[in-house]
Amino acid sequence: MTPDVRKQLLIGGTWLDAADGATMAVDDPATGETIAHVADAGPKDARLAEDAAVRAEREWAHTAPRARSEILRRAYEIILDRTDQLARLMTSEMGKPLAEARGEVAYAAEFFRWFSEEAVRIDGGHGTLPDGRNRMLLSRRPVGPCLLITPWNFPLAMGTRKIGPAIAAGCTMVLKPAPQTPLSSLAVAAILEEAGLPDGVLNVVTTSRAGEVCEPLLRGGRIRKLSFTGSTQVGRLLLAQCADTVVRASMELGGNAPFLVFEDADLDVAVEGALVAKMRNMGEACTAANRFFVHRSVAGEFGQRLAARMGALVVGPGTQEGVDVGPLIDAAGRAKVEQLVADAVERGARVLAGGRTPDGPGCFYPPTVLTDVSPESRLMATEIFGPVAAILTFDDEDEVVRRANDTPWGLVGYVFTEGLDRALRVSERLDVGMVGLNTGLVSNPAAPFGGVKQSGLGREGGRVGIDEFLEYQYLAMPVAR
Ligand code: NAP
């Protein structure tokens, strides 16, 4: 069944084919079948989209904040009304189970509601400077046309987390979604149109030629802001491209989350937290727990209990009700997980659950628990991006904090302990942007999401999410006497 969504580029309020007529296939990872063809933009189309964003910039920047807020609010309501339709669309292009897709629709919509509320609270300032002779007036203005680049793992929410604050701030945009999952972005663009977003404010270019399409925009001098979510490797490349014309950049990059279970943890809570932190989105999340450090005295029991729970999860096509674990995004994603598990096993890891690729179509991989994992294993220094929990043991707090921090990434860490002192002390010592304390879920539109070190720059969501799309102007004037 072909999904009922526009499959063209949205440029200046018009849905268009790519200038050279190119299209690209979108495949269902559960079956390997092509479910749609969408326009495959080239640099010429990207230039048109940029022109449209630049043309719309001035008027949109001066639109009343209340009007911008109400567009977001309407779009929030439309998304929620269409939860089932959008969830099915997302599952068909990305694979996640329908229940998770419905959860993502609610999460994605919430960014629009949150930023509809922030749009009318953009503040400035007024004061007398310390010398007493001068005043300052602070005002805030949109940063200008933005390029938004999103990954495939949360096809709707990664887009709304950027589009919401950009609309609230009064910025225009060119959105380039991941080629595996363009349909959810096209659906959200059509919903914003329906909600009254003026032509040219949001332009969408779907493409299989990301580098050719994006680089000229970043080097061209008219795009003033890049908001990127994706791998650290691509983030670095884009930062270098931003340097030419000093484009402001926010970067939500990869992670290598440590999950710490102390000897005084409530193991029921820790296993529940581990399931969420590991299995949300089949492990294809930047926040996924990648390295489980469990105190030696409870590691055996924790491993057995986690293996029992993970081994009981139902694997299958995400469209089937009752399925807990859908396919991985594509054959390359699955091959990477297989290789990481094989490497860990060669280095001495024991398989407590899963570990074997099933026969048949689709990119399925079973929930897998490995114990006695060697610190030298490749999966310790790589985002697994799959349903594999790798367990190592530790003996004392200083040692585990040092090992947890021994990575170039710093997105999120999880800490499980019943001791308040230890909970706060260890959380504060972790070099991460976010901590889940006795919980496996940190993502929330009301909280600032982001990492330190090579996990990124800036924050999305929360009160500060809109700041990424605003500039200050400071006006100095003498105090009249
Ligand atoms: P990716 O390969 O870095 O791709 C992300 C996006 O960047 C895609 O749209 C991709 O398009 C595009 N891209 C790649 N090369 C580009 C270039 N030279 N110029 C412009 N755009 C380019 O990452 P992914 O595999 O889609 O997503 C998984 C990664 O995202 C993981 O590392 C994960 O941790 C991270 N992530 C981070 C967060 C966070 O908030 N911190 C959230 C979700 C995911 P093409 O595929 O066409 O190259």
Side-chain angles (χ1 to χ4, degrees):
M1 191 192 73
T2 307
D4 181 20
V5 58
R6 302 299 294 249
K7 298 173 190 73
Q8 292 164 295
L9 312 174
L10 178 59
I11 298 179
T14 307
W15 294 90
L16 297 169
D17 291 331
D20 61 5
T23 61
M24 60 182 187
V26 182
D27 297 339
D28 178 345
T31 60
E33 283 165 16
T34 296
I35 51 167
H37 285 90
V38 301
D40 186 359
K44 224 173 171 177
D45 304 297
R47 170 56 67 94
L48 290 178
E50 183 192 37
D51 289 346
V54 170
R55 264 199 317 276
E57 177 194 0
R58 221 180 147 66
E59 199 176 330
W60 180 240
H62 291 98
T63 303
R66 179 63 73 197
R68 302 200 300 263
S69 162
E70 283 171 357
I71 291 167
L72 283 172
R73 177 72 199 201
R74 280 194 292 275
Y76 158 74
E77 280 161 12
I78 300 171
I79 293 175
L80 285 192
D81 279 351
R82 300 196 190 142
T83 294
D84 204 56
Q85 199 181 321
L86 289 165
R88 284 182 189 282
L89 182 67
M90 195 190 306
T91 294
S92 70
E93 65 176 347
M94 189 273 168
K96 69 180 73 188
L98 274 177
E100 281 202 53
R102 289 190 193 103
E104 183 177 338
V105 172
Y107 174 53
E110 189 58 27
F111 284 106
F112 281 1
R113 178 162 70 167
W114 176 263
F115 285 108
S116 79
E117 292 157 354
E118 292 301 298
V120 289
R121 317 232 183 282
I122 299 169
D123 56 3
H126 175 242
T128 305
L129 292 174
D131 62 16
R133 295 194 300 271
N134 289 288
R135 280 203 186 91
M136 70 171 169
L137 268 177
L138 291 182
S139 59
R140 304 185 83 190
R141 50 171 68 180
V143 62
C146 304
L147 175 61
L148 315 178
I149 303 179
T150 53
W152 48 263
N153 60 346
F154 292 95
L156 207 58
M158 295 302 96
T160 59
R161 198 162 79 168
K162 298 182 188 309
I163 298 167
I167 289 180
C171 294
T172 58
M173 294 151 266
V174 176
L175 168 68
K176 192 217 79 68
Q180 296 93 331
T181 57
L183 302 173
S184 297
S185 295
L186 293 168
V188 93
I191 286 172
L192 280 163
E193 244 188 343
E194 198 181 327
L197 192 70
D199 293 349
V201 174
L202 172 66
N203 305 278
V204 184
V205 287
T206 51
T207 181
S208 65
R209 297 171 267 175
E212 269 176 71
V213 158
C214 296
E215 188 168 355
L217 302 194
L218 291 176
R219 294 194 196 273
R222 295 195 296 169
I223 290 292
R224 294 313 314 147
K225 156 97 193 167
L226 167 66
S227 178
F228 172 73
T229 299
S231 61
T232 298
Q233 189 188 0
V234 173
R236 269 188 218 113
L237 185 91
L238 296 177
L239 276 174
Q241 293 175 7
C242 285
D244 262 9
T245 53
V246 194
V247 172
R248 194 168 152 186
S250 28
M251 296 271 146
E252 292 292 346
L253 308 177
N256 184 6
F259 188 104
L260 276 48
V261 182
F262 284 92
E263 65 275 27
D264 62 352
D266 178 329
L267 282 196
D268 288 337
V269 173
V271 169
E272 211 54 55
L275 274 173
V276 175
K278 183 71 252 180
M279 292 307 300
R280 179 167 175 243
N281 222 37
M282 290 84 72
E284 294 172 319
C286 53
T287 50
N290 211 57
R291 298 169 293 151
F292 287 80
F293 295 105
V294 185
H295 191 270
R296 193 177 301 281
S297 63
V298 292
E301 191 181 344
F302 176 83
Q304 292 300 338
R305 285 165 70 169
L306 184 61
R309 293 290 300 277
M310 282 184 47
L313 295 174
V314 179
V315 182
T319 43
Q320 282 177 17
E321 291 292 346
V323 161
D324 303 303
V325 186
L328 296 182
I329 187 68
D330 52 25
R334 181 169 71 173
K336 174 184 167 191
V337 173
E338 287 170 335
Q339 285 157 16
L340 289 174
V341 170
D343 170 78
V345 170
E346 260 171 43
R347 294 175 199 264
R350 283 189 300 124
V351 181
L352 297 184
R356 217 177 270 273
T357 303
D359 295 332
C363 302
F364 296 98
Y365 193 82
T368 296
V369 179
L370 303 176
T371 193
D372 299 335
V373 173
S374 157
E376 309 304 320
S377 305
R378 279 176 44 215
L379 50 65
M380 298 305 290
T382 312
E383 270 188 300
I384 303 171
F385 245 57
V388 178
I391 302 176
L392 298 94
T393 55
F394 70 89
D395 293 299
D396 77 72
E397 189 179 303
D398 284 348
E399 170 213 343
V400 76
V401 167
R402 184 182 47 73
R403 290 166 69 190
N405 286 337
D406 185 19
T407 164
W409 287 285
L411 188 60
V412 59
Y414 301 93
V415 179
F416 286 77
T417 173
E418 292 290 285
L420 181 60
D421 279 355
R422 171 180 274 160
L424 296 179
R425 188 172 61 236
V426 172
S427 300
E428 286 165 8
R429 292 178 70 193
L430 289 180
D431 296 334
V432 291
M434 301 174 287
V435 177
L437 184 53
N438 294 322
T439 176
L441 183 69
V442 293
S443 307
N444 190 297
F449 188 103
V452 300
K453 302 201 282 188
Q454 294 187 32
S455 285
L457 298 170
R459 294 293 181 269
E460 289 189 324
R463 296 295 309 274
V464 297
I466 196 168
D467 294 348
E468 304 284 339
F469 294 87
L470 291 167
E471 299 279 19
Y472 275 103
Q473 187 182 53
Y474 149 56
L475 190 152
M477 60 182 174
V479 174
R481 291 189 191 274

